[in-house]
Amino acid sequence: MKPTVVREKEELRRFCNEARAQGKLVGFVPTMGALHEGHLSLMREAKRAGADFVVVSIFVNPMQFGANEDLDRYPRTFEADLEACEREGVSLVFAPTNESMYGPNFESHVEVESLTLPLEGVHRPGHFRGVTTIVAKLFNLLGPCLAVFGKKDLQQALIIERMVADLDMPVEIILAPTAREADGLALSSRNRYLSAEERERGLSISRGLRAAYDAFHQGERDVARLSALVREAIEPHADSIDYAAVVHKASLTADGDNADDLVGIVAARFGNTRLIDNCIFAEDRRP
Ligand code: PAF
């Protein structure tokens, strides 16, 4: 069955209230559209966790893009997205306009502090403030029991978990594994911009994470040595690297007490396309 498409906030609230009144469990997958297999796996995860009224939002949120970023160029594939949602048995797609989400007098934000500062925070200042603000607004509109985020955007996922815990938001956050191509490339809406040659070079990211993953599983715990393995694999192939490091998951920095909570994490450019990827060595599958 085709999902109901809703553009207005009041209508969204009404549908979610009705679903709850019918005893349904509302599960939420927030997206910016250009859906790929990674997003579809989040929808399946919502169902697996018990949601029988799955809502997908499709909204390219201007607040999380910097002035020089790819807001205008971000892929928009609404009709294909709707078909994908239908195939996955999504109940409702919420696709609001910018104007309905951000009225003319909008001036309130949700901001998580230290976790937003390193990594993406250095290179995309203000990005996470835009993400937490829109996600908090969407949670308020839907009132979901559970929401699913991809580990592919690990810093974002950890920040959302922090926000929900700190602000006592009544929603269970589920983190779903990163979906990869058979050769290791993490799925991303931006992969469609890679030429064949750039894609080939982009594989150096998963190679670097794999090298560090293997070293970790052979007992290496030195953050500098593990970081060097990631960076050395990518450096010859990327056009630029924003970061390629191993950090502690708790702080997303090189500082931490738990030698086992290490994450390899990367943002690098191939041509005009910025790819991000990561691997939680103790938890995730070999990239
Ligand atoms: O991960 C994304 O696609 C976006 O950051 C999100 C969570 C939908 C908020 O706009």
Side-chain angles (χ1 to χ4, degrees), residues 30-32 61 64 131 134-135 149 153 156:
T31 81
M32 299 204 299
N61 173 33
Q64 68 190 73
V131 171
I134 193 68
V135 171
F149 291 82
D153 295 294
Q156 164 174 287

Side-chain angles (χ1 to χ4, degrees), residues 35-36 40 43 79-90:
L35 302 180
H36 53 66
L40 308 189
M43 299 170 198
E79 289 311 318
D81 291 350
L82 270 190
E83 281 167 26
C85 288
E86 179 176 357
R87 282 195 300 276
E88 292 305 322
V90 167

Side-chain angles (χ1 to χ4, degrees), residues 265-287:
I265 193 157
V266 178
R269 269 196 184 69
F270 299 85
N272 291 325
T273 306
R274 183 174 187 270
L275 300 182
I276 64 170
D277 198 356
N278 69 80
C279 176
I280 307 174
F281 298 139
E283 264 177 49
D284 291 342
R285 290 172 50 183
R286 189 170 184 258

Side-chain angles (χ1 to χ4, degrees), residues 64-86:
Q64 68 190 73
F65 286 80
N68 301 319
E69 294 184 352
D70 60 348
L71 174 62
D72 295 335
R73 195 174 156 252
Y74 198 84
R76 287 157 172 89
T77 58
F78 190 68
E79 289 311 318
D81 291 350
L82 270 190
E83 281 167 26
C85 288
E86 179 176 357

Side-chain angles (χ1 to χ4, degrees), residues 28-33 39 42 57-61 64-65 74 102 127-128 130-132 134-135 138 148-150 153 156 160 189:
F28 179 37
V29 179
T31 81
M32 299 204 299
H39 295 110
L42 307 185
S57 62
I58 298 182
F59 179 59
V60 184
N61 173 33
Q64 68 190 73
F65 286 80
Y74 198 84
Y102 299 115
H127 167 67
F128 287 124
V131 171
T132 41
I134 193 68
V135 171
L138 291 165
V148 189
F149 291 82
D153 295 294
Q156 164 174 287
I160 300 290
S189 302

